Amino acid sequence: MKACASRPVHRLPVRITHWVNLATMTGLFMSGWEIYNASPLFDFRFPASVTLGGWLGGAIGWHLALMWLLALNALCYLLWSLASGHLRHDLLPLSLSALWRDIRLTFTLRLRHRHGHYNAIQKLMYLGVLGLGLLLVCSGLAIWKPVQLYWLVAVFGGFDTARYVHFFAMSGIGLFVIIHVLMVIIVPSTLWAMLSGGKREG
Ligand code: HEM
């Protein structure tokens, strides 16, 4: 228990993979928006100022290169989280009763943030964004190699549906980022801990 209390709020592998993930995701979002603009699913296009690649071919080049970096980074994070017990001890367990308790505390403005301990809402959000990331990768693979990965395309119910799934998973992650950054603004000391490691509260 002592060793646990003396370790930082966020260990180095979490911090490195978190910030590499942010940089990679930013590039993936921006290049993905350029690719979307070439064949929009909806009645709107993303402004050129927030896209990456300059043209369809350039955007695809960025998207595929960053995809490998994201996959490698996510694999490092997942393997380390499993091996170190981070997943088991910090992101789990998650129960409905704990979630209900923390939702009530939030609405009565009594939810406290303790450095080094995620509340049930945070756990749900972090596990949820990891799930959305997996959905994003799987739907992306189906769109990228629809012939070779025909069975994956079938899982999504067809190529067009896989495109919609990819778009909505991206939107879900975008929504997560907005809420996540708002939370950081409310408790700004968490940002320093994610940069430097920080000191765990007992
Ligand atoms: C694609 C964008 C992002 C994703 C997917 C993401 C995901 C995550 C995840 C999964 C965690 C939990 C990490 C763990 O313990 O294993 C986390 C924590 C954190 N993230 Fe992000 N994040 C993103 C962007 C950002 C940005 C832009 C900021 C800062 C402005 C930020 C600041 C933080 C902080 C401060 C924590 C720790 C929160 C705490 O200790 O209560 N994140 N993020």
Side-chain angles (χ1 to χ4, degrees), residues 111-199:
L111 188 67
R112 241 194 96 220
H113 184 279
R114 273 196 307 147
H115 281 300
H117 304 273
Y118 292 141
N119 60 54
I121 300 172
Q122 277 179 300
K123 286 182 184 178
L124 181 72
M125 282 191 57
Y126 296 153
L127 293 171
V129 81
L130 292 176
L132 278 178
L134 189 68
L135 193 62
L136 201 69
V137 170
C138 292
S139 54
L141 286 174
I143 303 167
W144 179 41
K145 296 276 180 200
V147 177
Q148 293 88 335
L149 301 175
Y150 62 90
W151 53 270
L152 192 56
V153 178
V155 169
F156 286 108
F159 182 84
D160 288 335
T161 327
R163 272 196 77 193
Y164 279 102
V165 171
H166 200 61
F167 184 90
F168 286 118
M170 177 278 294
S171 310
I173 293 185
L175 184 65
F176 163 87
V177 175
I178 294 171
I179 299 171
H180 189 51
V181 172
L182 281 176
M183 294 296 128
V184 175
I185 292 171
I186 293 171
V187 191
S189 55
T190 57
L191 183 59
W192 180 241
M194 196 36 122
L195 289 165
S196 67
K199 207 162 170 285

Side-chain angles (χ1 to χ4, degrees), residues 5-191:
S6 64
R7 76 173 155 88
V9 175
H10 301 293
R11 282 173 282 174
L12 194 61
V14 171
R15 285 181 272 146
I16 294 176
T17 50
H18 179 271
W19 296 119
V20 169
N21 177 65
L22 174 62
T24 319
M25 279 264 184
T26 305
L28 277 165
F29 268 64
M30 293 173 71
S31 53
W33 292 340
E34 177 80 47
I35 299 170
Y36 166 95
N37 281 352
S39 170
L41 288 170
F42 302 100
D43 204 13
F44 71 88
R45 284 187 159 79
F46 292 94
S49 55
V50 296
T51 64
L52 177 69
W55 65 296
L56 180 59
I60 292 176
W62 272 105
H63 211 64
L64 294 184
L66 290 171
M67 172 193 85
W68 290 113
L69 187 57
L70 179 86
L72 186 68
N73 191 54
L75 194 67
C76 290
Y77 170 80
L78 285 176
L79 289 179
W80 180 83
S81 296
L82 283 169
S84 65
H86 174 60
L87 188 71
R88 223 164 348 119
H89 299 304
D90 300 328
L91 295 170
L92 293 170
L94 177 62
S95 66
L96 272 179
S97 56
L99 195 58
W100 178 234
R101 179 200 62 212
D102 289 349
I103 289 174
R104 273 183 319 180
L105 288 174
T106 303
F107 282 107
T108 50
L109 304 178
R110 285 183 296 137
L111 188 67
R112 241 194 96 220
H113 184 279
R114 273 196 307 147
H115 281 300
H117 304 273
Y118 292 141
N119 60 54
I121 300 172
Q122 277 179 300
K123 286 182 184 178
L124 181 72
M125 282 191 57
Y126 296 153
L127 293 171
V129 81
L130 292 176
L132 278 178
L134 189 68
L135 193 62
L136 201 69
V137 170
C138 292
S139 54
L141 286 174
I143 303 167
W144 179 41
K145 296 276 180 200
V147 177
Q148 293 88 335
L149 301 175
Y150 62 90
W151 53 270
L152 192 56
V153 178
V155 169
F156 286 108
F159 182 84
D160 288 335
T161 327
R163 272 196 77 193
Y164 279 102
V165 171
H166 200 61
F167 184 90
F168 286 118
M170 177 278 294
S171 310
I173 293 185
L175 184 65
F176 163 87
V177 175
I178 294 171
I179 299 171
H180 189 51
V181 172
L182 281 176
M183 294 296 128
V184 175
I185 292 171
I186 293 171
V187 191
S189 55
T190 57
L191 183 59

